[in-house]
């Protein structure tokens, strides 16, 4: 089983982050699914009621749901070339700084990077 990461395919920044992280997925551990696909498919009931457009979400191999900064931290940890960054983000106190910073950045991303009219999947 793979980790499943749910990203916003209409967000240029999110799309580029996905492209970069895919290059670091040497062990093919991550499946990327756009939030727009999830809304159509309805096959991810554990995401119901979650604000998936505002924060990246992840279903880990172990069945745990992560969101926002926790997703980024865990994702970095499982990607071999950047796993040291993931370890750093798990240091005590990093969540207190990282979570608000992530939410602030996420709330401004469309302002800074725009928004695709049509979702990008490739």
């Amino acid at each position: 089983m793979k980790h499943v990461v749910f990203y916003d395919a209409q967000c240029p920044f999110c799309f580029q982050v996905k492209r970069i992280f895919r290059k670091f997925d040497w062990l093919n551990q991550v499946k990327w699914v756009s939030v727009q696909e999830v809304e159509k498919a309805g096959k991810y009931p554990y995401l119901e009621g979650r604000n998936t457009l505002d924060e990246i979400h992840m279903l880990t191999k172990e069945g745990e749901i992560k969101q926002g900064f926790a997703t980024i931290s865990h994702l970095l940890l499982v990607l071999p070339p950047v796993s040291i960054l993931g370890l750093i983000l798990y240091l005590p106190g990093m969540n207190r700084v990282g979570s608000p910073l992530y939410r602030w950045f996420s709330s401004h991303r469309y302002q800074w990077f725009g928004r695709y009219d049509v979702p990008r999947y490739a």
Side-chain angles (χ1 to χ4, degrees), residues 20-34:
I20 292 166
F21 279 11
R22 282 175 61 185
K23 291 178 183 179
F24 294 146
D25 189 10
W26 297 348
L27 304 175
N28 197 27
Q29 299 182 83
V30 180
K31 175 182 177 183
W32 293 85
V33 177
S34 78

Side-chain angles (χ1 to χ4, degrees), residues 46-72:
Y46 43 81
L47 293 178
E48 283 184 28
R50 293 181 168 268
N51 204 353
T52 54
L53 280 173
D54 287 341
E55 291 188 272
I56 191 170
H57 282 66
M58 175 185 215
L59 174 65
T60 67
K61 290 179 184 180
E62 299 77 29
E64 184 182 356
I65 300 285
K66 296 189 177 282
Q67 71 183 54
F69 182 74
T71 295
I72 299 300

Side-chain angles (χ1 to χ4, degrees), residues 74-85:
H74 195 75
L75 192 53
L76 288 171
L77 192 61
V78 301
L79 299 175
V82 291
S83 60
I84 201 80
L85 292 173

Side-chain angles (χ1 to χ4, degrees), residues 77-117:
L77 192 61
V78 301
L79 299 175
V82 291
S83 60
I84 201 80
L85 292 173
L87 286 172
I88 291 168
L89 294 180
Y90 273 98
L91 289 173
M94 290 301 287
N95 191 46
R96 276 187 281 172
V97 174
S99 287
L101 185 61
Y102 175 90
R103 283 191 298 276
W104 175 80
F105 185 89
S106 180
S107 68
H108 292 89
R109 63 195 159 100
Y110 293 132
Q111 228 176 312
W112 298 332
F113 303 102
R115 186 174 185 157
Y116 297 134
D117 292 332

